[in-house]
Amino acid sequence: MNTPSVPRVARSRFGVLPDGSEVERVVLQCDGGLEARIITYGASLQALLVPDVAGRRDDIVLGHDAFEGYLARRQFFGATVGRYANRIAGARFVLDGTEVQLAANNGPNALHGGLEGFDRRNWRIAGIEDGDRPAVTLAYTSANGEEGYPGALDVEVTWRLTGPMELSLDMTARADRPTVVNLTNHSFFNLAGACSGRNILDHHLTVAADHFLAIDAGAIPLSEPPSAVDGTPFDFRTGVEIGSRIRDDHPQLRVGRGYDHNFCLAPPRGEPRFAARLAAPTSGRVLELFTNQPGLQVYSGNFLDGSTAGKGGRLYRQSDAICLEPQAWPDTPNRPNFPTARLSPGEVYRHTTLYRFTHALHGAIGTQSAVELPGESGR
């Protein structure tokens, strides 16, 4: 007699929008203890439970315990961001000779999709898969002209547990006319635990990039070529404690109030490749990030100011978490020398990111060799 398999997927109501529509949560679990909780609002990663070196599970992403927190204030906790993540200068660009005017929501610029981006939409559940690789697929159709972007865009996001300690994120999009697309996930990671009371300044960060984009006061890339990380606080090629240089007197740390910059990764080759490694000495948790995207926005939680109460009633403050956001480079539609974000009819936008978790003993957290870097081809 066969023993019935234990369900690895659970689906329930998480909240209700003002119009009465239901926000659902889907929980994915695997034998290794990894557990991902995804809500339909913003196709967001609401919680991610990961065992530490001693086997204790903690939630390692910032957010809210109840839906009301997500609705009350827009802070992108765990959200799918689009139609264009990051900033577009002047909230405008020219596509095929026609000027496109977007909604400006970050001074004169467009940020993270505009006034009501993908993070503020209630996605529909398009499919759920149980078994050894449990998954949920969420879908959203962005209408032609939404936030000013041309073309109707059909988007699907699939969260899947691809191994005992691995979470994958696959995003696809198709358009009915030429447009631009740049999607990312905006999770705030703290590998000590979201309710640990610790910040991420003692985390060690590795980034596989030897160039980054310097920015102006509006966080728009300067017109100069990408800047070399060598000899700067932006050199994370061999793993550095985040807090060791975040307060150095460097003009780019002043203008960003910390790290809030795009790191230029190696050109995509189809399959995800190593982009970053984050390690916490207190928990022994190690996150390795692989992606097929050309850039990685590193954001050290600079604008968390203690005005938001999150999980466990904790007030979120500066450097309580770090975001590692694979994406196209900011302002790409206005920069012909940047990797393109254009999507034409008949093409499929594909974004894949893998979050792979391991453990390291305290003494081994900071001992790493150099990683493979993009070199000049990363420009």
Side-chain angles (χ1 to χ4, degrees), residues 179-212:
T179 190
V180 296
V181 180
N182 177 30
L183 308 180
T184 195
N185 179 262
H186 207 298
S187 287
F188 288 71
F189 293 100
N190 184 324
L191 299 187
C195 296
S196 65
R198 304 185 65 91
N199 60 38
I200 50 84
L201 296 180
D202 66 346
H203 287 35
H204 283 72
L205 176 65
T206 304
V207 180
D210 55 5
H211 289 83
F212 73 101

Short mmCIF file of all heavy atoms in Angstrom, two decimals, residues 179-212:
data_model
loop_
_atom_site.label_atom_id
_atom_site.label_comp_id
_atom_site.label_asym_id
_atom_site.label_seq_id
_atom_site.Cartn_x
_atom_site.Cartn_y
_atom_site.Cartn_z
N THR A 179 7.83 47.90 -26.99
CA THR A 179 7.79 48.54 -25.67
C THR A 179 9.12 48.29 -24.98
O THR A 179 10.07 47.78 -25.60
CB THR A 179 6.60 48.00 -24.85
OG1 THR A 179 6.45 48.80 -23.67
CG2 THR A 179 6.78 46.55 -24.48
N VAL A 180 9.22 48.68 -23.71
CA VAL A 180 10.39 48.35 -22.90
C VAL A 180 9.91 47.60 -21.66
O VAL A 180 8.82 47.86 -21.14
CB VAL A 180 11.17 49.62 -22.48
CG1 VAL A 180 11.75 50.32 -23.70
CG2 VAL A 180 10.31 50.57 -21.66
N VAL A 181 10.73 46.64 -21.23
CA VAL A 181 10.38 45.82 -20.07
C VAL A 181 11.63 45.61 -19.22
O VAL A 181 12.70 45.31 -19.75
CB VAL A 181 9.82 44.44 -20.49
CG1 VAL A 181 9.47 43.61 -19.26
CG2 VAL A 181 8.59 44.60 -21.37
N ASN A 182 11.45 45.74 -17.93
CA ASN A 182 12.53 45.47 -16.98
C ASN A 182 11.89 45.08 -15.65
O ASN A 182 11.41 45.94 -14.92
CB ASN A 182 13.42 46.71 -16.80
CG ASN A 182 14.52 46.50 -15.78
OD1 ASN A 182 15.00 45.38 -15.59
ND2 ASN A 182 14.91 47.57 -15.11
N LEU A 183 11.87 43.80 -15.36
CA LEU A 183 11.23 43.30 -14.15
C LEU A 183 12.30 42.87 -13.14
O LEU A 183 13.40 42.47 -13.50
CB LEU A 183 10.33 42.10 -14.46
CG LEU A 183 9.30 42.28 -15.57
CD1 LEU A 183 8.50 40.98 -15.75
CD2 LEU A 183 8.37 43.44 -15.30
N THR A 184 11.95 42.94 -11.87
CA THR A 184 12.82 42.42 -10.83
C THR A 184 11.99 42.06 -9.61
O THR A 184 10.80 42.36 -9.54
CB THR A 184 13.92 43.44 -10.44
OG1 THR A 184 14.94 42.76 -9.69
CG2 THR A 184 13.37 44.58 -9.61
N ASN A 185 12.64 41.42 -8.65
CA ASN A 185 12.03 41.20 -7.34
C ASN A 185 12.74 42.08 -6.33
O ASN A 185 13.96 42.20 -6.34
CB ASN A 185 12.09 39.74 -6.91
CG ASN A 185 11.48 39.55 -5.54
OD1 ASN A 185 12.20 39.49 -4.53
ND2 ASN A 185 10.16 39.49 -5.47
N HIS A 186 11.96 42.66 -5.43
CA HIS A 186 12.47 43.67 -4.51
C HIS A 186 12.47 43.16 -3.06
O HIS A 186 12.10 43.90 -2.14
CB HIS A 186 11.64 44.95 -4.62
CG HIS A 186 12.36 46.21 -4.26
ND1 HIS A 186 12.87 46.44 -3.00
CD2 HIS A 186 12.66 47.31 -5.00
CE1 HIS A 186 13.43 47.64 -2.96
NE2 HIS A 186 13.33 48.19 -4.17
N SER A 187 12.93 41.94 -2.84
CA SER A 187 13.00 41.42 -1.48
C SER A 187 14.12 42.09 -0.69
O SER A 187 15.19 42.37 -1.21
CB SER A 187 13.23 39.90 -1.49
OG SER A 187 12.05 39.23 -1.88
N PHE A 188 13.82 42.35 0.59
CA PHE A 188 14.79 42.91 1.54
C PHE A 188 15.31 41.75 2.40
O PHE A 188 14.56 41.19 3.21
CB PHE A 188 14.12 43.94 2.45
CG PHE A 188 13.77 45.25 1.80
CD1 PHE A 188 12.74 45.35 0.87
CD2 PHE A 188 14.47 46.41 2.14
CE1 PHE A 188 12.40 46.57 0.31
CE2 PHE A 188 14.14 47.64 1.57
CZ PHE A 188 13.10 47.72 0.65
N PHE A 189 16.58 41.40 2.26
CA PHE A 189 17.13 40.23 2.94
C PHE A 189 17.87 40.63 4.22
O PHE A 189 18.65 41.58 4.25
CB PHE A 189 18.11 39.49 2.03
CG PHE A 189 17.47 38.83 0.84
CD1 PHE A 189 17.53 39.44 -0.41
CD2 PHE A 189 16.82 37.62 0.96
CE1 PHE A 189 16.95 38.83 -1.51
CE2 PHE A 189 16.22 37.01 -0.13
CZ PHE A 189 16.29 37.62 -1.37
N ASN A 190 17.65 39.84 5.28
CA ASN A 190 18.46 39.89 6.49
C ASN A 190 18.67 38.44 6.90
O ASN A 190 17.75 37.78 7.40
CB ASN A 190 17.79 40.68 7.60
CG ASN A 190 18.66 40.82 8.83
OD1 ASN A 190 19.41 39.90 9.18
ND2 ASN A 190 18.57 41.96 9.52
N LEU A 191 19.86 37.90 6.66
CA LEU A 191 20.12 36.48 6.88
C LEU A 191 20.25 36.12 8.35
O LEU A 191 20.31 34.94 8.69
CB LEU A 191 21.38 36.04 6.12
CG LEU A 191 21.35 36.21 4.59
CD1 LEU A 191 22.57 35.57 3.97
CD2 LEU A 191 20.08 35.63 4.00
N ALA A 192 20.26 37.12 9.23
CA ALA A 192 20.19 36.84 10.66
C ALA A 192 18.76 36.57 11.10
O ALA A 192 18.52 35.98 12.15
CB ALA A 192 20.76 38.01 11.46
N GLY A 193 17.79 36.99 10.27
CA GLY A 193 16.37 36.83 10.58
C GLY A 193 15.68 38.17 10.60
O GLY A 193 16.21 39.16 11.12
N ALA A 194 14.49 38.22 10.02
CA ALA A 194 13.76 39.48 9.92
C ALA A 194 13.41 40.07 11.28
O ALA A 194 13.25 41.28 11.42
CB ALA A 194 12.49 39.28 9.09
N CYS A 195 13.27 39.22 12.28
CA CYS A 195 12.93 39.68 13.63
C CYS A 195 14.08 39.50 14.61
O CYS A 195 13.88 39.48 15.83
CB CYS A 195 11.68 38.95 14.14
SG CYS A 195 10.19 39.28 13.18
N SER A 196 15.29 39.40 14.09
CA SER A 196 16.45 39.11 14.95
C SER A 196 16.91 40.33 15.75
O SER A 196 17.63 40.19 16.74
CB SER A 196 17.62 38.60 14.10
OG SER A 196 18.08 39.63 13.22
N GLY A 197 16.53 41.51 15.30
CA GLY A 197 17.03 42.72 15.94
C GLY A 197 18.41 43.13 15.48
O GLY A 197 18.98 44.10 15.98
N ARG A 198 18.97 42.43 14.52
CA ARG A 198 20.29 42.73 13.98
C ARG A 198 20.15 43.37 12.60
O ARG A 198 19.17 43.12 11.89
CB ARG A 198 21.14 41.46 13.88
CG ARG A 198 21.30 40.69 15.19
CD ARG A 198 22.26 39.53 15.02
NE ARG A 198 23.60 40.00 14.71
CZ ARG A 198 24.53 40.26 15.63
NH1 ARG A 198 24.27 40.11 16.92
NH2 ARG A 198 25.74 40.67 15.27
N ASN A 199 21.14 44.19 12.23
CA ASN A 199 21.14 44.75 10.89
C ASN A 199 22.06 43.92 9.99
O ASN A 199 22.56 42.87 10.40
CB ASN A 199 21.54 46.23 10.90
CG ASN A 199 22.93 46.46 11.48
OD1 ASN A 199 23.85 45.67 11.26
ND2 ASN A 199 23.08 47.56 12.21
N ILE A 200 22.29 44.41 8.78
CA ILE A 200 23.08 43.63 7.82
C ILE A 200 24.50 44.16 7.65
O ILE A 200 25.21 43.73 6.74
CB ILE A 200 22.37 43.56 6.44
CG1 ILE A 200 21.94 44.95 5.95
CG2 ILE A 200 21.16 42.65 6.51
CD1 ILE A 200 23.00 45.76 5.25
N LEU A 201 24.93 45.05 8.52
CA LEU A 201 26.26 45.63 8.37
C LEU A 201 27.37 44.62 8.60
O LEU A 201 28.50 44.82 8.13
CB LEU A 201 26.41 46.84 9.29
CG LEU A 201 25.49 48.03 8.97
CD1 LEU A 201 25.73 49.16 9.95
CD2 LEU A 201 25.66 48.50 7.53
N ASP A 202 27.07 43.52 9.33
CA ASP A 202 28.08 42.48 9.53
C ASP A 202 28.02 41.39 8.46
O ASP A 202 28.83 40.47 8.46
CB ASP A 202 27.96 41.87 10.93
CG ASP A 202 26.66 41.09 11.12
OD1 ASP A 202 25.73 41.23 10.29
OD2 ASP A 202 26.56 40.34 12.12
N HIS A 203 27.04 41.47 7.55
CA HIS A 203 26.97 40.51 6.46
C HIS A 203 28.14 40.74 5.49
O HIS A 203 28.54 41.87 5.25
CB HIS A 203 25.67 40.66 5.67
CG HIS A 203 24.45 40.15 6.38
ND1 HIS A 203 24.26 40.24 7.74
CD2 HIS A 203 23.32 39.56 5.89
CE1 HIS A 203 23.09 39.72 8.06
NE2 HIS A 203 22.51 39.29 6.96
N HIS A 204 28.65 39.65 4.94
CA HIS A 204 29.70 39.74 3.93
C HIS A 204 29.05 39.62 2.55
O HIS A 204 28.26 38.71 2.30
CB HIS A 204 30.75 38.64 4.12
CG HIS A 204 31.70 38.93 5.24
ND1 HIS A 204 31.34 38.86 6.56
CD2 HIS A 204 33.01 39.30 5.22
CE1 HIS A 204 32.38 39.16 7.32
NE2 HIS A 204 33.41 39.43 6.54
N LEU A 205 29.42 40.55 1.67
CA LEU A 205 28.83 40.60 0.33
C LEU A 205 29.90 40.42 -0.73
O LEU A 205 30.96 41.05 -0.68
CB LEU A 205 28.12 41.95 0.13
CG LEU A 205 27.53 42.20 -1.27
CD1 LEU A 205 26.40 41.22 -1.57
CD2 LEU A 205 27.03 43.64 -1.38
N THR A 206 29.61 39.56 -1.69
CA THR A 206 30.41 39.39 -2.89
C THR A 206 29.54 39.75 -4.09
O THR A 206 28.39 39.33 -4.16
CB THR A 206 30.89 37.94 -3.05
OG1 THR A 206 31.61 37.54 -1.89
CG2 THR A 206 31.77 37.78 -4.27
N VAL A 207 30.06 40.54 -5.01
CA VAL A 207 29.34 40.87 -6.24
C VAL A 207 30.29 40.64 -7.42
O VAL A 207 31.41 41.17 -7.44
CB VAL A 207 28.83 42.32 -6.25
CG1 VAL A 207 28.10 42.62 -7.56
CG2 VAL A 207 27.91 42.59 -5.07
N ALA A 208 29.84 39.89 -8.40
CA ALA A 208 30.67 39.54 -9.56
C ALA A 208 30.64 40.65 -10.60
O ALA A 208 30.11 40.51 -11.69
CB ALA A 208 30.20 38.23 -10.17
N ALA A 209 31.20 41.79 -10.21
CA ALA A 209 31.22 42.94 -11.11
C ALA A 209 32.46 43.77 -10.85
O ALA A 209 32.79 44.03 -9.69
CB ALA A 209 29.97 43.80 -10.91
N ASP A 210 33.11 44.20 -11.91
CA ASP A 210 34.25 45.09 -11.74
C ASP A 210 33.95 46.52 -12.16
O ASP A 210 34.83 47.38 -12.16
CB ASP A 210 35.49 44.57 -12.47
CG ASP A 210 35.27 44.30 -13.94
OD1 ASP A 210 34.16 44.61 -14.44
OD2 ASP A 210 36.18 43.79 -14.60
N HIS A 211 32.67 46.79 -12.49
CA HIS A 211 32.22 48.15 -12.77
C HIS A 211 30.84 48.38 -12.16
O HIS A 211 30.06 47.43 -11.98
CB HIS A 211 32.15 48.43 -14.28
CG HIS A 211 33.49 48.52 -14.94
ND1 HIS A 211 34.19 47.41 -15.36
CD2 HIS A 211 34.28 49.59 -15.24
CE1 HIS A 211 35.34 47.79 -15.90
NE2 HIS A 211 35.41 49.11 -15.84
N PHE A 212 30.57 49.64 -11.83
CA PHE A 212 29.24 50.02 -11.36
C PHE A 212 28.87 51.35 -12.02
O PHE A 212 29.73 52.03 -12.60
CB PHE A 212 29.20 50.13 -9.83
CG PHE A 212 29.90 51.35 -9.26
CD1 PHE A 212 29.17 52.46 -8.85
CD2 PHE A 212 31.28 51.39 -9.13
CE1 PHE A 212 29.80 53.59 -8.34
CE2 PHE A 212 31.92 52.51 -8.61
CZ PHE A 212 31.18 53.62 -8.21
#
